[in-house]
Every structure is written in structure tokens, then in C-alpha cells.
Amino acid sequence: MEDFPRWAEMMADPEASRFLGGVQPAATAWRGFMTMAGAWSLTGIAMFSVIERDTGLWLGRIGPWRPEGWPGNEVGWGLHPDAQGKGYGVEAATATLDYAFDVLGWEDVIHCIDPENTPSQRLAERVGSRNLGPTRLPPPFADVSVDAWGQSRADWKSRPRR
């Protein structure tokens, strides 16, 4: 619960929340925060919190995600504005992709990315994913324009390691 104020800040920021459903008041952000906790409890799959090692500060959420009717097994992300552009996304997405393939046993992974969201596209490329083309989300998001970026387990395992 101590991380909720930072979650609410992220969801209230017009730029940070633009591709995460838009600006939300704290009461709406709270519902999203609780959705993640509930998903962990009921399905064992939801976003991880990204926490700054030295300070314990909540930086964002990155993790496996598969809502009802979703077009595939997703590894998604959203970072607080002050955590963007510092490498946290690549580090956390890499760890999550390992988790998705090695622990969850997923054969492929997608990232649902708005065609205008170039920072997320760059992150997807940095972890080895490619644009697979347009996809559709289930209602109430059916009118949202997204591309599925992704890769297979074989692609992930054969990528050059840094």
C-alpha cells in the first residue's frame, strides 16, 4: 500500500498515463492498483513493482499480463515519469521475459503498443521484439489502436546476451 501514492501520481500524469488508459483520479487509479493485487492472488500473473534498490522508491510496473480476451501473453510496462529513460525498463522487461519463458512456460510474448508510443516501441526493440502488426483488444478497449510487438521463446533464447 505504501507504493500507491506513486502509482496514483503516474496515472495522474498526462504523458505517463497517455497510453495506459489516460489520466485517472486517485479513486480510479486505486482500482487499477487493486486489480494487480487481485490478479496476483487469483491467477498468479500480474505486473511486478519496479523498486529502486537504494531508496525503496516505487518506479513503475512491468510484468506478465493476460486479461480475459487479451490477444496473447503480454509482458507490459508503465514507468513513473521520473523513472523513464534511465534503463529501468530494459532491465525489468528483460527479467520479466526470462520469467515468462522460464517460470510461466510461455511459448511467445507480445507487448500491446499504441502506434504513436515510440518510447515503448524502442523498449520492445531493445528486448528483441518486433512489430507483428495490428491487433485488437477486447471491450472496453476494442477501439484502441494497438500493434502487437513480440517474440517467441526460441527468439528470446537465441538472442545475443550482453
Side-chain angles (χ1 to χ4, degrees):
M1 287 305 301
E2 66 271 10
D3 298 329
F4 176 69
R6 294 269 299 168
W7 178 294
E9 280 178 20
M10 179 179 79
M11 296 312 297
D13 182 276
E15 192 57 34
S17 66
R18 178 177 172 201
F19 301 111
L20 299 175
V23 171
Q24 298 176 2
T28 304
W30 181 86
R31 287 168 177 77
F33 187 76
M34 291 297 130
T35 295
M36 288 298 164
W40 271 116
S41 177
L42 295 173
T43 69
I45 299 171
M47 302 277 177
F48 298 108
S49 282
V50 180
I51 306 293
E52 189 173 53
R53 183 180 299 131
D54 294 340
T55 65
L57 188 66
W58 186 88
L59 301 175
R61 61 187 193 209
I62 297 179
W65 189 231
R66 179 79 196 239
E68 176 65 29
W70 218 244
N73 297 315
E74 180 165 18
V75 168
W77 44 74
L79 291 171
H80 191 281
D82 63 19
Q84 295 175 11
K86 298 179 180 178
Y88 296 118
V90 172
E91 182 179 352
T94 298
T96 301
L97 285 161
D98 280 337
Y99 180 84
F101 292 125
D102 296 342
V103 177
L104 298 177
W106 290 356
E107 291 300 319
D108 51 50
V109 165
I110 62 168
H111 323 287
C112 296
I113 302 176
D114 187 293
E116 295 182 16
N117 190 345
T118 55
S120 277
Q121 293 166 9
R122 286 194 303 268
L123 176 52
E125 288 172 340
R126 289 192 63 195
V127 296
S129 292
R130 64 191 179 286
N131 190 336
L132 305 173
T135 192
R136 291 190 57 88
L137 301 178
F141 310 106
D143 294 334
V144 175
S145 177
V146 295
D147 290 331
W149 288 67
Q151 62 186 296
S152 68
R153 174 199 298 267
D155 293 337
W156 179 249
K157 296 298 182 183
S158 67
R159 80 194 189 291
R161 300 281 179 155
R162 291 184 183 182

